[in-house]
Every structure is written in structure tokens, then in C-alpha cells.
Amino acid sequence: MSDIRIKSAFVSVYCKDGLEAIVKKLDSLGVSVVSTGGSWDFITRSGVSAGKVEDITTYPSILGGRVKTLHPGIFGGILARRNNETDMKQVAEYNIHLFDLVIVDLYPFEETVASGAADQEIIEKIDIGGISLIRAGAKNYADVLIVSSRNQYDALMQILDAREGVITEEERYRFALEAFNQTSHYDTAIFRWFNRRNEVSAFKQSILTGHELRYGENPHQKGVFFGDPGLIYEQLHGKEISYNNLLDIDAAISLIDEFEEVTCAIIKHNNACGIASRADLKTAWEAALACDPVSAYGGVAIVNRDIDEAVATEMDKIFLEVVIAPSFSGKAVEILKQKKNRIILHRKLVHADAASFRSMLGGVLWQERDRVNEKPADMKPVTERHPTPEEYEDMVFANRVVKQSRSNAIVLVKGRQLCASGIGQTSRIDSLRQAIDKARAFGFSLEGAVMASDAFFPFADSVTTAHEAGITAIIQPGGSVRDKDSIAYCNKNNVSMVFTGIRHFKH
């Protein structure tokens, strides 16, 4: 393979943005153009002469536009191998017009689905000819340059300007690679729409672009984020967001979305080290910080109300790596920007995906997201003493937090404020002891506090230890063969306990 000079181009695009400059440049280089219906109209109105595809196929566009380009005269001109003697004899025999450049995009299938269109309209946006032309041009990149998206027009124009229409093998390969990226993504989107009822057990995901990170979880690991974070947040200030920042941001958003009331949370290593709900954001921040001001240093703060000057002033008194809010006042941004590297994110109100997945063992684990949020009506009292209204309120709060904490998880709450949590331990009693020790270390009294557990207690030792620490109400899924032992202890010691029947493991 070697460099080629573009002499003839095939153009058929749905979106005409940016096309005029391209075809005028091709015309100035003496490149002949063949085009289809709407594209031909656009090109000729731009003052560039072009041949019609019908002149090659001898057929008009038929079946409501479903068939326009599916013809040997077109595909032969793209797929013919110039260095293959048999191919070139057939090109001469059948008078096939060769194309060196193919500019084709695809019908906006994903956009049509997103618009809520009816099924038939969506089906009509499944491109047949376009995707076939793109694949043909990419397959024969040895002899053809394929441009499969208007996002490549700038790169194409630079190449045309630089060498007057001469294209290198490396350039053709790079464009072909992007073409297969486009077609595979398109096919995945179509399959996912057809399989929206999950009738075929297959895992297909496609994200067109990736953003290379400074490194992965550790400096010796490479890291890339595939996706568009701009859909979730707008970065107003700060350094480049890292792999670990992204994990914490995701954990922070998942947690804050559990709450409708005014709430502030502080995240460290994907877990809450502080969270509180209050009547106003300033006191919510102060209460959240009081949970564990040591761990809060360098953490991720997230709120579900606008940050004003007063709240920003308090937040700026501690080093926070990331601050996330629905919006910020101008003065608040000025205050928070005083730390050069602090990441300030304006969070957009986008709901989390309905499913989550992770790679392992050479495959992928997929599951629905845990969207269950128990209310008092979902809590079954199993003890003689039922919770008070205040205890119910705290149990709802605690259960939301434990749901978003790493298992085994225990959360202690009092007055809609996290007192402490025990997370990631290999035994539930160890998680509880960790939480009690931490609460005491930061001066919290656990008298009248509630305890939430993400799973049942295998033994009564946890309720015994909790009661001895001052806890008066417990929320847990229930389901242990020894539940009766825990219930008996609670009844004997006037502790209220409710079962939800819902486990909230998070690993």
C-alpha cells in the first residue's frame, strides 16, 4: 500500500453541517463527486457539480428511500482492489466507476430513540445503505478513504489542505478504524433497543470516546474513563479529575440522591465519613463535618441545595478536594476557587442508569441498581416496644446511608446525623465495634441512637453490644435462623427493632 490521490468521491450524508466547505475543496482539487438525493441537491445548490447515483445504478431511489445505493456499480467502485488483476479486469468489463473517497454518515437512530418517537419511526432510522457503504470503505482502506462522521470533517480538511488531496496509508487506516468504531456502536444501539425487554441474554455496551486519565487507581496503572462526564456535571474550577475522584464522585451522587430533605454528605474512599440533614444547608454542613472532621480532610463534599457565600465560607475552612452542588452563587465560587486545585462541580440533574456492571473473571457481572428505599410503612416491628416517631425518622435516615456503604456495614445515627459507621469488615460485630469506637472518639453520645445493618445479624452479640452502647432502636433485614435470640434480647432490654425483609449488600 502507498499514498493515493483522491480523484473521485462518493457523498451521501444525513446531516449536511460542514459539508459545503468539504465539497468546495474537493471541487477545487478537481475531484469528481457522485451523490444521492438530498445530498446531491445540497451539493449542487452550493455551486459544485455532481453526478447522480441513479446515473450509475440506472435505478431511482425506491421503497420510500430504503434502497438507493445497494448496487454493484456503487459497491464495486468502493471495494475493488486496485492491485488485484482480476478485480481490475471486472472493473473494466462492467464499466465500474472507482471511488477514492467515501463520505457517508448514518441516520440518527439513537437521537430518534431518545426523542420518544414511535417504534415505526425508530425502525425507519435504522440505516442499511449507509452502514454498508461505511463498512465497504473501511474494509478497502488500502485504496479508499472513508469519512464516517461530520466530526472528522476538520481532520479531512487539514489533510486536503496539506497535500492537495494525497492521502497516506496511515491516514486511511486511522479513518477506517474510526469507521468501524462508528458502525459497531450503531449496531449495539440498535440491538439494545430491540432487546429492551431483555429477551436475549447478551451483554453489549458501546461508548464512542474515552478520556485518558493521569493514571488509574495507583500511579503505576493506566486509566481511561469511557463516557461523557459533561452529561453529569460541569467542572467550574480545579485540577484534572482523577480515577479515584471519579469513584468518589459516583459514590457521592448515589448517596445524596437518597435524600430529598436538605442534606450534606462528605465522602472518603467511596463511603460517607459525614452526613446530616437539617433545615438549612449551613447547619447541615456543620453537622456533617462534625461526624468525622479528620476523615473529611481531602474528601468530597456534596449537597442537594445551592451553595451560597455563607456555606462556601464554612467549607473553605477545611481542605476539600471536590465540592459538588446543584448550583453555586457567584461569590461562593470565588471563595471556593481560592484553593487552586479544588475541583468545583455543578451537578446536572441526571438520573443514574437502571443497571450497573463490572468486569471480572474474563466476563461481566450485571445487575439492576438497588433502588429500594424503605419507609416506616415498610418496616415491620418485631419487638414488644415499637419505635418512636423520632426513632423511625432516624432509622429511615440510617438505612439510606447503610445502603450506600461497603459491606459488612453498620451505621449509627442520632437526630438525622451520622454518628459513625463501621464498613468493609469481615464480620458484622467488628463493623459495629468499629462504629462505636469511632463515635466515642469524636464525642458522640449513643444514648437514644439507632443502628442500621445492611444484612441480618447471625448472632445476638450485635444487638447486645449495641444496647450496651446506648442504642435504643435497630433496623435490619431479618432472616437469620437466630433472629429469635436477637428479638428476645431486645424485648428483655426495652430495645425496639424492625425488620425490612430487604438486604442492602454493597461490595
Side-chain angles (χ1 to χ4, degrees):
M1 289 187 282
S2 60
D3 295 353
I4 63 169
R5 179 178 294 279
I6 296 173
K7 300 175 183 176
S8 178
F10 181 87
V11 180
S12 180
V13 295
Y14 182 89
C15 179
K16 313 301 189 294
D17 294 349
L19 181 63
E20 182 175 352
I22 295 294
V23 294
K24 285 185 173 179
K25 179 64 179 180
L26 293 174
D27 188 54
S28 72
L29 295 174
V31 176
S32 64
V33 175
V34 173
S35 190
T36 58
S39 298
W40 184 87
D41 288 340
F42 179 87
I43 291 168
T44 54
R45 285 199 308 269
S46 299
V48 175
S49 62
K52 292 184 176 182
V53 69
E54 293 91 336
D55 296 337
I56 294 176
T57 65
T58 70
Y59 274 89
S61 173
I62 60 173
L63 306 182
R66 284 188 164 198
V67 180
K68 288 180 292 203
T69 59
L70 297 171
H71 190 279
I74 300 299
F75 281 85
I78 297 171
L79 287 166
R81 293 161 289 187
R82 276 56 161 181
N83 64 352
N84 184 292
E85 184 178 347
T86 301
D87 281 9
M88 296 312 292
K89 283 182 178 178
Q90 291 180 332
V91 165
E93 180 182 356
Y94 296 109
N95 194 28
I96 293 174
H97 182 95
L98 294 176
F99 297 106
D100 313 300
L101 170 65
V102 175
I103 302 176
V104 176
D105 64 6
L106 298 169
Y107 290 161
F109 177 82
E110 289 179 284
E111 294 85 346
T112 306
V113 171
S115 73
D119 285 6
Q120 191 55 45
E121 184 179 350
I122 292 171
I123 287 171
E124 291 306 319
K125 289 298 186 290
I126 297 175
D127 208 316
I128 302 300
I131 201 165
S132 300
L133 290 163
I134 291 172
R135 289 175 62 85
K139 177 176 181 175
N140 198 28
Y141 76 90
D143 300 299
V144 176
L145 178 68
I146 174 64
V147 179
S148 56
S149 167
R150 65 180 180 274
N151 295 330
Q152 297 174 302
Y153 286 178
D154 287 345
L156 173 61
M157 186 64 82
Q158 291 173 10
I159 292 171
L160 295 176
D161 284 339
R163 290 188 302 279
E164 298 293 303
V166 174
I167 313 296
T168 67
E169 176 189 342
E170 177 58 31
E171 288 165 344
R172 300 193 302 275
Y173 176 83
R174 182 161 42 85
F175 275 72
L177 180 63
E178 180 59 31
F180 284 124
N181 186 26
Q182 293 282 345
T183 59
S184 62
H185 177 81
Y186 196 77
D187 281 336
T188 296
I190 293 169
F191 171 80
R192 283 169 58 82
W193 180 75
F194 266 92
N195 197 41
R196 56 196 182 278
R197 292 189 293 269
N198 296 316
E199 295 164 287
V200 175
S201 182
F203 180 81
K204 295 184 187 296
Q205 289 285 336
S206 177
I207 299 174
L208 281 171
T209 58
H211 172 66
E212 188 169 345
L213 304 171
R214 284 177 292 161
Y215 49 80
E217 204 160 4
N218 300 291
H220 63 277
Q221 297 171 269
K222 291 183 178 180
V224 179
F225 176 72
F226 293 99
D228 183 3
L231 298 175
I232 309 300
Y233 56 74
E234 176 189 2
Q235 184 168 353
L236 305 180
H237 178 72
K239 64 181 180 181
E240 180 183 351
I241 295 174
S242 70
Y243 182 101
N244 292 325
N245 289 152
L246 289 168
L247 290 177
D248 280 336
I249 290 167
D250 180 69
I253 289 173
S254 294
L255 178 58
I256 204 70
D257 282 354
E258 300 283 348
F259 297 86
E260 294 181 1
E261 56 269 43
V262 179
T263 303
C264 174
I266 305 170
I267 304 297
K268 200 71 173 289
H269 295 293
N270 310 159
N271 292 289
C273 62
I275 181 169
S277 295
R278 291 292 185 266
D280 65 89
L281 191 56
K282 183 171 179 292
T283 53
W285 160 254
E286 291 167 346
L289 179 61
C291 300
D292 184 353
V294 175
S295 295
Y297 183 86
V300 173
I302 187 165
V303 300
N304 58 3
R305 297 294 190 276
D306 301 344
I307 292 181
D308 60 16
E309 179 180 354
V311 175
T313 299
E314 293 302 313
M315 285 183 161
D316 194 50
K317 292 178 180 178
I318 182 176
F319 170 62
L320 295 169
E321 190 159 12
V322 184
V323 179
I324 310 169
S327 69
F328 301 79
S329 71
K331 189 63 177 176
V333 173
E334 288 181 22
I335 292 167
L336 294 171
K337 275 185 174 181
Q338 292 180 98
K339 300 293 191 296
K340 181 178 69 172
N341 290 327
R342 177 180 287 148
I343 297 166
I344 304 173
L345 301 180
H346 163 220
R347 196 258 173 112
K348 300 176 182 178
L349 297 179
V350 177
H351 297 293
D353 293 335
S356 65
F357 49 87
R358 63 173 76 177
S359 61
M360 62 177 58
L361 301 174
V364 173
L365 269 179
W366 177 98
Q367 67 172 351
E368 296 176 333
R369 285 192 180 272
D370 185 354
R371 295 186 178 275
V372 175
N373 279 314
E374 297 90 337
K375 298 177 176 62
D378 304 312
M379 301 174 186
K380 177 186 176 182
V382 293
T383 51
E384 294 168 0
R385 184 177 80 78
H386 289 201
T388 66
E390 292 78 16
E391 286 173 334
Y392 268 124
E393 186 176 53
D394 278 347
M395 285 194 293
V396 169
F397 183 100
N399 206 49
R400 290 172 179 172
V401 178
V402 83
K403 171 186 167 184
Q404 297 294 341
S405 302
R406 298 294 175 183
S407 300
N408 287 312
I410 293 288
V411 165
L412 308 180
V413 165
K414 186 176 179 180
R416 296 189 303 159
Q417 178 187 27
L418 177 67
C419 298
S421 60
I423 49 178
Q425 299 302 304
T426 52
S427 73
R428 198 151 299 279
I429 188 65
D430 283 346
S431 291
L432 174 56
R433 288 168 178 157
Q434 179 190 65
I436 292 171
D437 289 345
K438 193 166 189 177
R440 289 170 174 166
F442 288 105
F444 284 96
S445 169
L446 295 177
E447 295 296 328
V450 308
M451 173 174 71
S453 175
D454 63 344
F456 64 65
F457 296 112
F459 305 100
D461 55 355
S462 291
V463 297
T464 301
T465 302
H467 167 250
E468 290 171 350
I471 288 160
T472 59
I474 298 168
I475 179 172
Q476 60 141 318
S480 169
V481 296
R482 294 184 176 87
D483 278 344
K484 63 182 185 300
D485 297 338
S486 296
I487 294 170
Y489 181 89
C490 289
N491 284 334
K492 183 178 178 181
N493 293 278
N494 201 35
V495 175
S496 68
M497 183 162 64
V498 301
F499 286 178
T500 64
I502 301 293
R503 189 180 71 185
H504 289 296
F505 269 166
K506 187 175 185 182
H507 295 105

